[in-house]
Amino acid sequence: MQPLMQISNLKTWLVNSAAPVRAVDGVSLTLERGETYALVGESGSGKSMTALSIMRLLPDAGRIIAGEVMLDGQNLLALPEIAMRTVRGGRMAMIFQEPALSLNPVLTVGEQIEEVLHRHTRLRGNKAHERIIELLAAVGIPDAERRMREYPFQLSGGMTQRVMIAIALAGEPELLIADEPTTALDVTIQAQVLDLIRDLQKRTGMAILLITHDLGVVSQMAHKVAVMYAGQIVETAQAQEFFANPAHPYSRKLFASLPDATKRSGRLAVIKGAVPQLNREFRGCRFAERCEFAWDKCRTIDPDWSEASPGHAVRCHLYSEGREQVAGATVAEGGAARVSVAAESADLLKVSNLKVHFPVHKGLFKRVVGQVKAVDGVTLEIKKGRTMALVGESGCGKTTVGKGILQLVPVTSGSVRYNGVDLTRLGRDELRSRRSQFQIIFQDPYSSLNPRMRVSDIIEEGMTALQITTSATERLQRVDRLLEQVGLSKEMRQRYPHEFSGGQRQRISIARALAVNPKLIICDEPTSALDVSVQAQILNLLKELQDKFGLAYLFITHNISVVEYLAHEVAVMYLGRIVETGTTEEVLNRPRHPYTRALLSAVPVIDRATRREIIRLQGDLPSPLNPPSGCHFHPRCPEVMPECRRAYPGESRFSNTHNAHCFLYKQQQTTSQ
């Protein structure tokens, strides 16, 4: 049977006044009907540009200079644009990475789906209306008739991604291209979206080209895998074979870079260097500069395809030379066992019943008509030299907790004691004098660094404001030392933020935080926007700095594998409140609260043997403006009881360090919140 799509020697260049950028340089792959083909690799490897080439949605500078893209025997590259418009959105459709940027903010959800129906079907009027409701219901959006009249900004992140899927499905495509469809979503919403895509694939028989850097998602979804590096595919295999025996040194490094509990005692493997610039002609293997197994032949001769096993192909000289045993050697980095510098020390930070409420104003006189209870009674403790992870869905209040601790937002009530001093009671000048002791690393290094300032000025700014050093010479010397500590050269201090990669920008953010000698750093999703290889570098750096300087971290994240690797304690947050706390081992291995269990079950894992049965939560996170009565989790809880609707549960203790707020453990409850 003829494959649904066959791509042969596809080459896409970005042409400008300088040398062309070879974004896609000879990609070939075959996609069968009804299968999911995953394309994985670091940012800059050409995955998204491959998808845009297939759809012929290239930027103005993009040119397809060679190759074929055959869809059911028809060469899409030979079609005129008017004919391509019938294929695009009809026979094949695409889900883009960021739904908030892909949906039209001035059109309702229903109007955007109706556009596709008018272009690719004959449905009009009431029949189109019925089809829109049917599509929204099919992607799991409740009350579809009401939701179709809403605008994208009125929907949650999970809902907007579902709308994107509904738009893509409206034309009944044979091929769905999903470009990082769950990157911006929480694990619970991610699990729902992946389940939805799988279910729709079974019902419609469509093929899926899945673009992602999340190997856990690939393990759950893909039938076949292709690894892409610097514009080329370097390895292809059936998914099961790929995860059992990754062959290319690059693929093995990607696996070794993944954090988990087994690697807590040492460093994560790091792929040295970065993906090479694609504005030059290559000689030899493109990974040679970063490969620890490379020899002279790798740098001068392009590797041909070799067979690592039946159906498993790899572009690497190690296999053509019969050195696959070398390639199979471990690439994980060793490290001495980690010993915390202050494992049994006193509390550095003690937060008690912290509340941060934001008033809602309405009317001509701006009367207060309600309160958004972003943080509603949070209590937690962090010791010197320790890391507490704060996990939960987006919108639960994690970032607001961090800002409340640092007094960056007004605190409604509660106390934040740092070294015994209640920060909420300090005046502006007193608080300013202590700001050097606690700092924050923001999630997005792109927007947290001033694009008009050089790196040296960015790092010096805090030192000058808080009078850490007195002379310009001392500050400059300290900038040089800080850059070296975070793995950057001192020559980089005269550059601007746009001249750095995402991982390098995050290192600059860390250097800026360290410049004022803090003892506590709030890390707000510092690795969520990074590839696994860059993430490994940042996690190694944070761990080294903690061991060297005794830093304490409040690590805000939804990445459970990062929690396993880095954190000593975990606090699970839901709708403004902490529902479970304990050591990392207690919470992740013996979760007690139903929300914690649901959260952990939704995490995609590579090892099928450790995969939990997914606990599907109904609906989305309620609004903190009108939180549910009783236990906030009861509308979504699979184990809800009558008392859960009436009162908030007290604290149940399971050990000196492990507790949860849940009526399932009434006999162990000691206090009521």
Side-chain angles (χ1 to χ4, degrees):
M1 179 184 276
Q2 182 174 260
L4 175 64
M5 174 166 281
Q6 194 158 17
I7 301 172
S8 303
N9 196 34
L10 178 64
K11 294 186 179 183
T12 300
W13 290 8
L14 302 177
V15 181
N16 51 36
S17 57
V21 175
R22 296 164 170 81
V24 181
D25 201 12
V27 164
S28 299
L29 60 86
T30 301
L31 186 60
E32 304 290 345
R33 290 172 170 80
E35 79 173 1
T36 299
Y37 201 125
L39 196 57
V40 303
E42 292 173 280
S43 296
S45 61
K47 307 186 300 297
S48 294
M49 197 58 67
T50 299
L52 293 174
S53 300
I54 294 170
M55 296 289 289
R56 286 179 53 186
L57 290 174
L58 293 171
D60 292 340
R63 302 286 186 275
I64 298 174
I65 65 165
E68 288 184 334
V69 178
M70 306 295 292
L71 180 64
D72 203 11
Q74 183 179 39
N75 186 5
L76 300 182
L77 304 186
L79 293 179
E81 175 59 23
I82 193 167
M84 190 64 198
R85 289 173 188 168
T86 303
V87 176
R88 190 190 299 127
R91 297 183 64 192
M92 64 179 185
M94 186 167 178
I95 303 171
F96 295 93
Q97 181 171 353
E98 183 48 76
L101 300 178
S102 304
L103 296 175
N104 192 325
V106 300
L107 295 179
T108 65
V109 165
E111 288 171 335
Q112 296 186 60
I113 299 175
E114 192 172 25
E115 283 184 331
V116 182
L117 295 178
H118 283 184
R119 184 69 182 82
H120 297 288
T121 74
R122 296 181 178 180
L123 298 177
R124 302 291 185 274
N126 289 335
K127 289 188 177 180
H129 180 89
E130 291 171 2
R131 179 59 175 157
I132 292 168
I133 294 173
E134 182 183 319
L135 284 165
L136 291 175
V139 297
I141 293 181
D143 197 5
E145 190 158 7
R146 177 175 64 86
R147 292 288 191 179
M148 68 178 284
R149 298 185 178 90
E150 294 183 341
Y151 292 89
F153 72 86
Q154 295 175 280
L155 305 177
S156 66
M159 286 287 189
T160 54
Q161 192 64 287
R162 288 165 184 264
V163 170
M164 281 288 299
I165 296 172
I167 292 172
L169 294 176
E172 300 181 353
E174 301 167 60
L175 169 64
L176 179 66
I177 300 174
D179 186 3
E180 301 277 9
T182 61
T183 296
L185 304 180
D186 296 307
V187 288
T188 51
I189 305 300
Q190 174 180 265
Q192 294 173 16
V193 170
L194 294 179
D195 274 351
L196 170 64
I197 292 174
R198 269 196 301 262
D199 182 56
L200 292 170
Q201 184 180 39
K202 288 178 183 177
R203 282 194 272 145
T204 64
M206 66 182 177
I208 298 173
L209 179 62
L210 176 65
I211 297 171
T212 184
H213 64 256
D214 190 329
L215 293 176
V217 170
V218 174
S219 176
Q220 286 192 0
M221 295 289 293
H223 301 100
K224 293 179 184 174
V225 180
V227 180
M228 197 165 182
Y229 184 79
Q232 289 186 333
I233 290 177
V234 298
E235 182 172 359
T236 62
Q238 295 290 327
Q240 191 169 355
E241 167 64 18
F242 174 73
F243 284 99
N245 300 295
H248 198 281
Y250 175 61
S251 304
R252 290 180 175 273
K253 274 289 190 181
L254 288 179
F255 278 94
S257 298
L258 294 173
D260 60 43
T262 63
K263 300 172 184 175
R264 284 179 64 91
S265 62
R267 291 169 51 85
L268 296 172
V270 170
I271 308 176
K272 62 183 180 181
V275 177
Q277 295 292 318
L278 302 180
N279 58 354
R280 61 187 174 93
E281 291 190 39
F282 287 92
R283 292 184 60 202
C285 174
R286 301 183 181 194
F287 188 60
E289 295 175 2
R290 307 174 73 190
C291 182
E292 58 196 68
F293 304 117
W295 73 98
D296 291 343
K297 183 177 180 180
C298 300
R299 298 179 179 89
T300 55
I301 300 175
D302 290 347
D304 291 325
W305 284 101
S306 301
E307 192 174 65
S309 62
H312 188 171
V314 59
R315 184 177 286 184
C316 181
H317 287 307
L318 290 168
Y319 292 82
S320 62
E321 295 284 329
R323 303 188 186 188
E324 57 269 23
Q325 291 82 5
V326 177
T330 179
V331 292
E333 295 186 14
R338 185 184 183 198
V339 180
S340 176
V341 296
E344 302 299 330
S345 60
D347 291 334
L348 178 69
L349 179 74
K350 190 168 185 177
V351 180
S352 301
N353 200 29
L354 179 68
K355 295 185 179 182
V356 180
H357 296 176
F358 299 104
V360 178
H361 300 277
K362 191 175 182 181
L364 181 63
F365 298 102
K366 301 297 182 183
R367 292 181 297 108
V368 176
V369 296
Q371 297 281 338
V372 175
K373 299 178 179 179
V375 179
D376 198 26
V378 163
T379 297
L380 54 84
E381 299 175 0
I382 304 178
K383 297 181 184 295
K384 294 178 181 178
R386 306 281 284 183
T387 299
M388 169 167 277
L390 187 60
V391 302
E393 294 171 281
S394 294
C396 71
K398 303 187 301 294
T399 296
T400 308
V401 168
K403 291 181 178 179
I405 289 171
L406 298 182
Q407 307 298 291
L408 298 177
V409 294
V411 171
T412 305
S413 64
S415 66
V416 179
R417 293 189 173 275
Y418 176 84
N419 268 339
V421 177
D422 190 351
L423 302 181
T424 65
R425 298 183 180 276
L426 297 181
R428 183 173 180 176
D429 291 339
E430 290 179 292
L431 185 61
R432 182 184 177 88
S433 68
R434 287 178 165 82
R435 284 240 176 252
S436 64
Q437 299 177 50
F438 35 84
Q439 291 289 298
I440 185 168
I441 301 170
F442 293 99
Q443 177 175 356
D444 186 1
Y446 294 85
S447 59
S448 63
L449 300 176
N450 191 325
R452 294 186 177 91
M453 295 174 66
R454 297 181 189 272
V455 167
S456 59
D457 297 326
I458 290 171
I459 298 174
E460 274 189 65
E461 188 176 27
M463 289 189 277
T464 304
L466 298 175
Q467 300 177 346
I468 300 301
T469 57
T470 55
S471 73
T473 302
E474 289 180 9
R475 288 196 296 271
L476 191 59
Q477 290 173 347
R478 181 159 174 75
V479 168
D480 290 346
R481 288 198 302 271
L482 286 165
L483 288 173
E484 289 176 359
Q485 284 175 358
V486 299
L488 300 174
S489 67
K490 61 184 180 182
E491 289 76 18
M492 293 179 175
R493 66 171 182 261
Q494 294 303 314
R495 296 185 190 175
Y496 290 92
H498 74 269
E499 298 179 78
F500 295 89
S501 68
Q504 288 173 323
R505 287 191 187 97
Q506 199 61 288
R507 288 170 180 265
I508 294 167
S509 298
I510 294 171
R512 177 178 60 183
L514 292 173
V516 294
N517 299 319
K519 289 300 179 184
L520 170 68
I521 298 180
I522 310 292
C523 302
D524 187 6
E525 299 273 13
T527 63
S528 64
L530 306 179
D531 293 312
V532 290
S533 57
V534 181
Q535 173 183 267
Q537 296 173 17
I538 299 300
L539 293 178
N540 284 342
L541 174 61
L542 290 173
K543 185 177 280 192
E544 288 168 9
L545 294 170
Q546 184 173 61
D547 292 342
K548 185 174 182 179
F549 299 111
L551 299 177
Y553 299 131
L554 177 64
F555 202 95
I556 298 169
T557 185
H558 62 253
N559 189 329
I560 301 300
S561 61
V562 170
V563 174
E564 288 180 315
Y565 175 71
L566 193 66
H568 300 94
E569 289 85 31
V570 182
V572 182
M573 193 169 181
Y574 185 82
L575 204 64
R577 295 182 175 182
I578 302 291
V579 298
E580 183 166 1
T581 58
T583 65
T584 303
E585 193 271 337
E586 287 172 332
V587 174
L588 299 189
N589 294 343
R590 296 185 296 279
R592 297 302 187 102
H593 198 281
Y595 177 64
T596 308
R597 292 200 289 265
L599 202 64
L600 296 178
S601 75
V603 176
V605 294
I606 292 173
D607 187 357
R608 295 173 185 266
T610 62
R611 192 172 295 169
R612 295 179 170 97
E613 182 180 352
I614 295 178
I615 301 171
R616 290 170 177 80
L617 299 180
Q618 301 300 314
D620 290 318
L621 195 73
S623 169
L625 179 60
N626 294 299
S629 60
C631 174
H632 291 351
F633 185 59
H634 84 256
R636 304 173 72 193
C637 182
E639 301 179 64
V640 64
M641 299 181 291
E643 56 261 53
C644 302
R645 299 181 175 91
R646 294 193 294 266
Y648 193 82
E651 182 186 81
S652 300
R653 299 200 69 86
F654 314 107
S655 72
N656 291 334
T657 54
H658 192 189
N659 64 74
H661 289 269
C662 184
F663 281 121
L664 290 172
Y665 313 101
K666 286 181 288 188
Q667 72 280 5
Q668 294 166 283
Q669 289 188 3
T670 57
T671 61
S672 181
Q673 187 167 327

